[in-house]
Amino acid sequence: NVVIAAAKALSKLGSRYALVSSIAKLKSKDWETRHNAATMLEHIGSSEASPGLLELLQDPMWKVRVKAAMALGKIRDIAAVPSLRACLQEADIYVQAAAARALSYFDILDGVPLLLQSVQDSSEENRKEAIRALGEIGGPEVIPFLQGALSDQHHEVRVAAAKALTKFGNLDGVSVLLFDLKKDDYAAR
């Protein structure tokens, strides 16, 4: 992604212009511009961006809220914690997961119980995203939930669970994925 590459290069140079310009773009009417600005600020990592990013947690576009949460986590501005905790109550699983990931940068794992509940959600997409987030921020206590997800009816959920388990050195998911490869169902392969 060009935006991420530019952000990384500019952050290494300590570019004040990139910081100020990106903060200004947080107020754009175009959601993609706000999203890209938050991406830049995530990589620049300056707490000067926190007020604008906090405002973006209320953005109507979920992708912008996700990126704002992740940027706030990487910036590690403790003032963002109450707002990030509030995002755990969002209806959108992607925003919940991003807030949980962001809070994990502060060693706050408030989002783990909520994500554990989402592993049982009726939505395949919600289960998959919860499992991905748990693989990133969860501790050994999440392993039984991930192992349970290996028997999910949806292949993508099983794959997410297998990948998450490998992060704990657990290879239980490998046999499930090998079994999926032998199925006649193309989607499972």
Side-chain angles (χ1 to χ4, degrees):
N1 185 317
V2 175
V3 174
I4 294 172
K8 287 179 179 178
L10 289 168
S11 67
K12 287 179 183 172
L13 295 172
S15 174
R16 180 93 183 131
Y17 172 77
L19 173 65
V20 172
S21 172
S22 295
I23 290 171
K25 289 177 182 176
L26 294 176
K27 297 197 180 290
S28 172
K29 291 183 180 188
D30 177 55
W31 77 265
E32 288 177 322
T33 300
R34 294 189 307 274
H35 181 271
N36 289 340
T39 300
M40 290 283 285
L41 293 167
E42 176 182 3
H43 292 283
I44 293 171
S46 171
S47 61
E48 287 181 62
S50 292
L53 290 167
L54 284 166
E55 286 180 31
L56 286 188
L57 291 177
Q58 305 302 317
D59 198 274
M61 174 56 76
W62 68 268
K63 290 180 179 182
V64 174
R65 294 193 308 273
V66 165
K67 190 48 71 175
M70 291 306 300
L72 286 163
K74 289 195 177 172
I75 290 170
R76 292 186 176 101
D77 181 350
I78 197 73
V81 169
S83 296
L84 290 169
R85 279 187 164 141
C87 287
L88 293 174
Q89 304 309 314
E90 274 253 7
D92 189 285
I93 185 65
Y94 293 102
V95 178
Q96 289 176 1
R101 287 178 177 112
L103 286 166
S104 75
Y105 286 109
F106 299 95
D107 293 324
I108 298 171
L109 300 177
D110 291 5
V112 171
L114 181 68
L115 292 170
L116 289 173
Q117 289 175 5
S118 294
V119 170
Q120 305 300 320
D121 196 277
S122 61
S123 162
E124 167 192 355
E125 196 62 33
N126 288 359
R127 291 192 309 275
K128 183 175 65 174
E129 184 60 19
I131 288 166
R132 285 180 178 159
L134 286 168
E136 291 176 30
I137 67 171
E141 75 280 0
V142 305
I143 291 174
F145 293 89
L146 298 175
Q147 288 170 322
L150 291 172
S151 61
D152 194 278
Q153 65 184 357
H154 291 95
H155 173 71
E156 289 187 23
V157 175
R158 294 191 304 272
V159 169
K163 286 180 179 178
L165 282 166
T166 62
K167 293 176 184 173
F168 296 101
N170 183 311
L171 301 179
D172 289 350
V174 173
S175 61
V176 171
L177 296 179
L178 289 173
F179 179 76
D180 280 354
L181 284 173
K182 294 177 185 176
K183 288 184 178 179
D184 290 332
D185 178 13
Y186 176 76
R189 291 185 274 145

